[in-house]
Amino acid sequence: KRRKRREKRIKAELPVHLRRSATGKVYQLAHTVDISTSGARLAGLTDHMELGEVLEIRCGSQEAPFQVVWAGSPGTAGHGQVGVECLTPEANIWELDAPQQMDELAPPKEIAVARAVQTRLLPQELVQLQTLEYSGHCIQARTVGGDYYDFLDMGSGSVGLVLADVAGKGMAAALLMANLQGSLCSQASIGSRDLPQVLASVNRHFYKHTESNRYATLFFACYDDATQALRYVNCGHNPPLLLHKAGVERLAATATVLGLFRDWECSVGEAHMEAGDILCIYTDGITEATGKNGEEFGEASLLEVLRESRDLEAASIVQKVEQAVEQFRSGEQEDDLTIVIARAR
């Protein structure tokens, strides 16, 4: 029986917040060493836990009661660790499914290869423009992830700025990210600048080749070097921030997410960029990064960094935002963090 239990364990270091049910003390941060459908092994605890004690454990947005069933003894490899068993296993706070289990059980060498392949899918060359400089970066919460950004040559002095967030994490999300990237690039390669046509085709492909609960939010903007016009479609993504000298313009959603519905349509928004304007496209891993007191980094903090950095080059602004989030965050990174900065000149 012990061997069977071990076979079902998945090595996964997930950040968790736990609270003692008996005392109602505030949540403390810890992390899993391995998980299963019925429990987990925890480490990084700041308090001593008693056998039989009931804990409220939160992972992401899911929460359930667990009972301490063992504690590591001093002088052993498990010292400082505890084993917990879920009292309501149907809650499945780890959100274990077949793709995720395959991800966590994959040999390290295969995971490393997958990461290298995914890295190569990110933009390697930039379209050179006279009136716009741009840069992007992605920091994944796991070895591979579902965030994706790209810079597509749309022809005639135009560039496509893309940022997408595929639902989920790990290997399953990475595979869908690759699917989305391939579909977008195939559309861009034919030189189409009709954004509704391009994205309707991408949605059909994504809907047909993914499970019914899989989807992606996406922001796609086409910038024209000659006119400095920005035409965009926001598919349920966080509104990008367009920082003008006179104020901030939020590029709100113009369509629903991709891949969830067979019938899909969008409208195209338009904006104009002048010298010194900054466009910031980002995933919620930035604004939802959590600080010491449970507060989020938020849009206001992001805007503050952008204003302080507006005279820097695009790549330097990307670094400033990432540094600010890292300094603000307490504990481990829980979500993929991706940002694209475009600065008019």
Side-chain angles (χ1 to χ4, degrees):
K1 289 182 179 179
R2 181 186 302 173
R3 184 172 65 253
K4 288 181 179 179
R5 286 199 300 270
R6 284 178 176 172
E7 288 173 353
K8 294 181 181 179
R9 291 178 183 171
I10 300 172
K11 289 185 178 181
E13 188 171 319
L14 304 176
V16 297
H17 292 81
L18 56 90
R19 177 177 59 185
R20 290 179 138 148
S21 297
T23 63
K25 290 181 63 177
V26 296
Y27 283 96
Q28 61 170 288
L29 185 66
H31 63 84
T32 64
V33 176
D34 55 46
I35 58 177
S36 69
T37 54
S38 61
R41 180 160 47 130
L42 304 179
L45 303 166
T46 57
D47 294 341
H48 174 71
M49 301 295 169
E50 301 290 342
L51 291 179
E53 185 174 0
V54 176
L55 309 173
E56 295 290 333
I57 299 180
R58 186 174 70 210
C59 181
S61 60
Q62 303 293 327
E63 184 173 342
F66 286 73
Q67 187 173 33
V68 178
V69 293
W70 65 264
S73 303
T76 67
H79 179 55
Q81 300 179 355
V82 299
V84 294
E85 186 175 69
C86 188
L87 299 179
T88 56
E90 66 278 3
N92 188 22
I93 71 169
W94 318 123
E95 297 183 349
L96 288 177
D97 54 24
Q100 182 174 336
Q101 291 186 29
M102 179 179 67
D103 176 15
E104 301 297 346
L105 292 172
K109 186 175 181 179
E110 292 186 11
I111 292 292
V113 171
R115 181 179 179 85
V117 170
Q118 186 175 41
T119 300
R120 292 294 299 174
L121 294 179
L122 297 176
Q124 306 298 315
E125 298 180 358
L126 303 184
V127 180
Q128 298 301 313
L129 302 176
Q130 295 293 324
T131 63
L132 191 76
E133 58 160 339
Y134 51 94
S135 181
H137 193 228
C138 175
I139 302 176
Q140 294 155 343
R142 298 186 182 179
T143 308
V144 291
D147 277 13
Y148 158 64
Y149 75 94
D150 214 339
F151 306 125
L152 305 176
D153 188 349
M154 307 297 289
S156 303
S158 295
V159 65
L161 307 173
V162 181
L163 193 148
D165 186 353
V166 175
K169 295 182 177 67
M171 190 74 77
L175 290 171
L176 295 179
M177 174 273 212
N179 186 312
L180 180 62
Q181 188 265 357
S183 182
L184 274 173
C185 287
S186 66
Q187 292 295 315
S189 66
I190 63 176
S192 175
R193 297 171 66 184
D194 186 337
L195 297 186
Q197 177 184 342
V198 169
L199 292 175
S201 177
V202 171
N203 180 75
R204 286 193 297 270
H205 178 82
F206 209 56
Y207 179 84
K208 182 179 179 180
H209 296 284
T210 60
E211 298 176 6
S212 59
N213 63 337
R214 298 293 185 178
Y215 65 91
T217 65
L218 177 140
F219 181 84
F220 191 150
C222 182
Y223 178 84
D224 190 306
D225 198 26
T227 64
Q228 294 187 260
L230 189 77
R231 299 174 60 251
Y232 65 89
V233 175
N234 185 340
C235 307
H237 196 73
N238 300 323
L241 304 173
L242 181 51
L243 187 62
H244 302 289
K245 293 180 180 179
V248 180
E249 183 178 358
R250 292 169 177 81
L251 308 185
T254 62
T256 189
V257 298
L258 294 174
L260 204 57
F261 306 105
R262 182 193 303 273
D263 299 321
W264 183 93
E265 59 183 18
C266 69
S267 59
V268 179
E270 294 188 11
H272 185 79
M273 296 184 68
E274 298 181 352
D277 288 353
I278 295 174
L279 173 65
C280 176
I281 317 169
Y282 61 94
T283 56
D284 53 16
I286 291 179
T287 51
E288 294 181 4
T290 306
K292 295 180 180 179
N293 298 320
E295 74 280 16
E296 294 183 346
F297 185 73
E299 183 189 279
S301 297
L302 176 57
L303 279 171
E304 183 180 353
V305 178
L306 295 176
R307 290 191 176 102
E308 293 176 350
S309 311
R310 65 183 311 155
D311 294 329
L312 301 177
E313 295 182 349
S316 297
I317 299 176
V318 169
Q319 293 178 357
K320 288 290 185 182
V321 172
E322 291 177 344
Q323 290 169 2
V325 173
E326 178 64 27
Q327 292 172 2
F328 175 85
R329 185 177 58 235
S330 65
E332 300 178 1
Q333 179 180 338
E334 298 183 8
D335 199 1
D336 296 339
L337 186 158
T338 308
I339 183 171
V340 168
I341 293 291
R343 184 176 182 274
R345 55 190 179 188

